[in-house]
């Protein structure tokens, strides 16, 4: 125990492997830059006649011009190449570097940076990534010995329903050895030239997968699982963003609402000791999400946009997807962070209409609720109102269940019973 504590303390003070590699890279490129400048200076100086006036000053001026115009851009490109080739913020043990990288984890970063890193950590020389598109098909990207490209849409690779079901059942990855008894699935592996496939799953839906030529070890599989989970969230938000922009342009609300209907389900209700939580039938005007924040506490958000037209559901689902993904990264800490993120996302979407929300925290035997808007009522025994707007309300659960209503219709019900001690 003391030995582990000493190692943890020592690791805290010593630089991480990522920081060490980054320092070595910077030292190498800067030393190379200085050497080039010095060599150029002496070479230029040797070409200027000694009897010439201001000989040293002229040599210094010409060297400075070479350094700024020629050497500096070359060194910068070399630095970027080395960092891309040998470093990855997504695979580092340095928490701060990883946190900053995750904040920049968008769809472009997934294709250009994360996908090659996922292939590298498995020790594979090649890999293929399938990404769910907005129309329900899969787009493919390939990586082979340092080169990557997007495969032509005409390339004969299809993702059959049986293959998708197989990947959903193998959320921790599957090797080709597990497919010998399934001829069709084995053929799918062969078509992708894969010995190992890891799926990108979010809310029990397949958003993509990565197929590689090598079976990773346990440590590499763990890193792959972290990146695969965030990849699924990124693709989910990318699809919803597309539908939002399309609705802004063409206002085909009903068509796009049907396309993303399976993305708009109420979030999974957590099973907490002593708590029974029931979700009632919802409309496309309100959505619910449950998630944990940085300290492990469970929160929930109910959003209502007040309007009835179809693309409201798409917008609300996108916002709750942003909140959920930020909570998974342990960036959110409490009520103020969640409220600020929701408001900022509405502003980003140029939303001009009114919206209302409830932010709640599930305690040991009590609820903490912040209510914004007049359409919601939080009652006990169908009559007693137990929460006020604009305040952080603490509601004890020892007097009966709590029901959250929206325009008189029940949305969520909370019931708490002290668990028996055995």
């Amino acid at each position: 125990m003391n030995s582990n504590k000493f190692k943890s303390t020592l690791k805290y003070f010593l630089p991480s492997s990522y920081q060490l590699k980054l320092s070595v890279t910077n030292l190498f490129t800067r030393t190379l830059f200085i050497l080039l400048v010095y060599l150029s200076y002496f070479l230029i100086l040797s070409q200027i006649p000694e009897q010439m006036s201001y000989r040293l000053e002229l040599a210094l001026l010409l060297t400075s011009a070479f350094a700024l115009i020629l050497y500096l851009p070359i060194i910068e490109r070399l630095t970027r190449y080395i960092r891309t080739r040998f470093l990855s913020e997504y695979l580092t043990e340095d928490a701060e570097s990883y946190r900053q990288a995750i904040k920049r984890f968008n769809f472009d970063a997934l294709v250009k940076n994360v996908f090659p890193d996922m292939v590298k950590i498995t020790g594979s020389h090649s890999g293929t990534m399938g990404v769910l598109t907005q129309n329900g098909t899969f787009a493919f990207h390939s990586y082979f010995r340092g080169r990557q490209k997007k495969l032509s849409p005409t390339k004969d690779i299809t993702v059959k329903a049986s293959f998708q079901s197989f990947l959903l059942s193998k959320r921790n990855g599957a090797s080709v050895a597990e497919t010998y008894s399934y001829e069709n699935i084995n053929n799918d592996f062969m078509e992708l030239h894969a010995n190992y496939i890891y799926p990108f799953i979010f809310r029990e839906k397949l958003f993509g997968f990565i197929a590689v030529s090598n079976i990773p070890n346990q440590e590499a599989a763990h890193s792959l699982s972290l990146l695969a989970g965030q990849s699924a969230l990124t693709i989910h938000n990318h699809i919803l963003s597309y539908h939002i922009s399309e609705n802004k342009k063409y206002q085909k609300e009903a068509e796009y609402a049907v396309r993303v209907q399976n993305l708009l389900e109420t979030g999974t209700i957590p099973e907490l000791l002593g708590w029974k939580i029931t979700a009632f039938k919802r409309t496309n005007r309100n959505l619910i999400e449950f998630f944990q924040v940085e300290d492990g506490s469970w929160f929930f958000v109910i959003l209502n946009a007040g309007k009835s037209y179809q693309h409201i559901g798409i917008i609300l689902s996108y916002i709750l997807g942003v909140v959920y993904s930020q909570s998974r990264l342990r960036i959110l800490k409490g009520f103020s962070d969640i409220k600020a993120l929701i408001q900022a996302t509405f502003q980003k979407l140029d939303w001009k209409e009114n919206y209302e929300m409830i932010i709640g925290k599930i305690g040991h035997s009590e609820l903490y609720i912040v209510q914004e808007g007049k359409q919601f009522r939080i009652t006990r025994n169908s009559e007693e109102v137990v929460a006020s707007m604009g305040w952080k309300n603490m509601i004890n659960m020892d007097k009966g269940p709590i029901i959250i209503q929206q325009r008189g219709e029940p949305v969520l019900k909370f019931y708490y019973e002290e668990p028996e001690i055995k």
Side-chain angles (χ1 to χ4, degrees), residues 38-170:
Y38 267 100
L39 288 174
S40 299
Y41 175 76
F42 288 114
L43 181 62
I44 292 172
L45 188 63
S46 65
Q47 300 301 314
I48 300 176
E50 294 185 3
Q51 64 273 20
M52 189 173 180
S53 301
Y54 304 107
R55 176 170 172 264
L56 296 178
E57 289 81 354
L58 181 59
L60 180 61
L61 181 62
L62 291 173
T63 304
S64 300
F66 271 103
L68 293 174
I69 298 173
L70 181 62
Y71 297 151
L72 192 58
I74 291 175
I75 292 298
E76 287 179 349
R77 291 196 63 177
L78 178 63
T79 302
R80 285 196 299 270
Y81 172 77
I82 294 176
R83 288 181 180 178
T84 303
R85 183 71 177 82
F86 298 105
L87 295 174
S88 171
E89 293 174 298
Y90 300 97
L91 306 179
T92 177
E93 295 179 358
D94 180 39
E96 183 60 29
S97 298
Y98 181 75
R99 192 183 185 94
Q100 293 299 321
I102 288 297
K103 286 183 178 180
R104 300 190 299 271
F105 198 144
N106 54 26
F107 187 78
D108 289 337
L110 168 64
V111 175
K112 295 179 182 178
N113 302 321
V114 182
F115 167 45
D117 285 343
M118 295 172 84
V119 177
K120 291 174 187 175
I121 64 174
T122 64
S124 302
H125 66 270
S126 65
T128 301
M129 181 175 67
V131 177
L132 184 66
T133 63
Q134 54 271 11
N135 58 11
T137 61
F138 283 81
F140 290 90
H141 302 263
S142 71
Y143 180 89
F144 182 76
R145 298 188 184 277
R147 294 184 178 184
Q148 68 177 109
K149 63 178 180 179
K150 184 175 182 179
L151 299 183
S152 170
T154 60
K155 186 172 177 61
D156 189 21
I157 298 180
T158 58
V159 184
K160 299 187 289 290
S162 59
F163 187 51
Q164 294 186 46
S165 299
F166 175 80
L167 293 180
L168 282 171
S169 67
K170 300 290 183 179

Side-chain angles (χ1 to χ4, degrees), residues 171-183:
R171 59 187 314 123
N172 294 320
S175 67
V176 69
E178 301 175 54
T179 69
Y180 292 146
S181 57
Y182 308 97
E183 183 178 353

Side-chain angles (χ1 to χ4, degrees), residues 197-416:
I197 296 180
Y198 204 101
F200 304 159
I201 299 174
F202 174 56
R203 288 185 175 179
E204 303 306 318
K205 181 177 178 64
L206 182 69
F207 283 92
F209 58 86
I210 181 171
V212 292
S213 60
N214 187 47
I215 299 176
N217 57 34
Q218 186 175 359
E219 183 178 354
H222 176 68
S223 298
L224 207 59
S225 69
L226 296 176
L227 295 176
Q230 182 61 24
S231 297
L233 288 172
T234 300
I235 299 168
H236 167 270
N237 286 341
H238 178 71
I239 293 173
L240 289 178
S241 298
Y242 169 83
H243 286 299
I244 289 170
S245 63
E246 288 299 297
N247 271 275
K248 281 185 176 181
K249 293 178 182 177
Y250 306 110
Q251 295 298 305
K252 295 182 179 179
E253 296 101 351
E255 178 185 350
Y256 291 113
V258 170
R259 289 187 182 183
V260 296
Q261 182 178 358
N262 59 346
L263 299 176
L264 306 181
E265 297 300 325
T266 296
T268 304
I269 297 176
E271 296 182 2
L272 303 175
L273 186 64
W275 287 91
K276 183 179 180 181
I277 306 172
T278 305
F280 296 89
K281 184 179 179 180
R282 62 169 180 80
T283 68
N284 66 319
R285 291 181 296 179
N286 60 65
L287 286 176
I288 306 168
E289 186 64 83
F290 291 84
F291 51 89
Q292 285 180 289
V293 298
E294 190 174 37
D295 63 0
S297 302
W298 276 97
F299 278 72
F300 65 92
V301 170
I302 306 174
L303 275 183
N304 180 275
K307 299 292 183 179
S308 60
Y309 44 87
Q310 293 292 332
H311 76 277
I312 289 298
I314 302 172
I315 292 174
L316 294 182
S317 184
Y318 171 76
I319 292 172
L320 288 181
V322 171
V323 174
Y324 183 83
S325 63
Q326 295 290 296
S327 70
R328 294 284 291 177
L329 300 175
R330 296 296 190 261
I331 293 175
L332 302 179
K333 297 180 180 180
F335 286 91
S336 59
D337 287 345
I338 298 169
K339 182 178 177 181
L341 178 60
I342 293 173
Q343 291 174 338
T345 308
F346 268 116
Q347 291 174 2
K348 181 181 177 182
L349 296 173
D350 293 326
W351 183 254
K352 306 298 182 183
E353 307 290 341
N354 293 328
Y355 61 90
E356 299 180 1
M357 62 182 162
I358 285 181
I359 304 173
K361 176 183 178 182
I362 304 174
H364 171 68
S365 60
E366 62 279 327
L367 286 176
Y368 299 88
I369 288 179
V370 173
Q371 177 183 345
E372 298 281 344
K374 299 179 180 180
Q375 295 188 32
F376 291 105
R377 292 180 75 244
I378 304 169
T379 63
R380 179 184 278 121
N381 300 324
S382 301
E383 296 180 358
E384 180 187 2
V385 177
V386 294
S388 302
M389 287 188 299
W391 299 88
K392 182 179 178 181
N393 303 270
M394 187 188 78
I395 305 172
N396 291 316
M397 299 298 297
D398 54 359
K399 297 181 181 180
I402 296 298
I403 295 180
I404 299 178
Q405 300 177 345
Q406 193 266 325
R407 287 189 174 181
E409 296 294 327
V411 178
L412 276 180
K413 180 180 179 181
F414 293 85
Y415 176 78
Y416 179 79

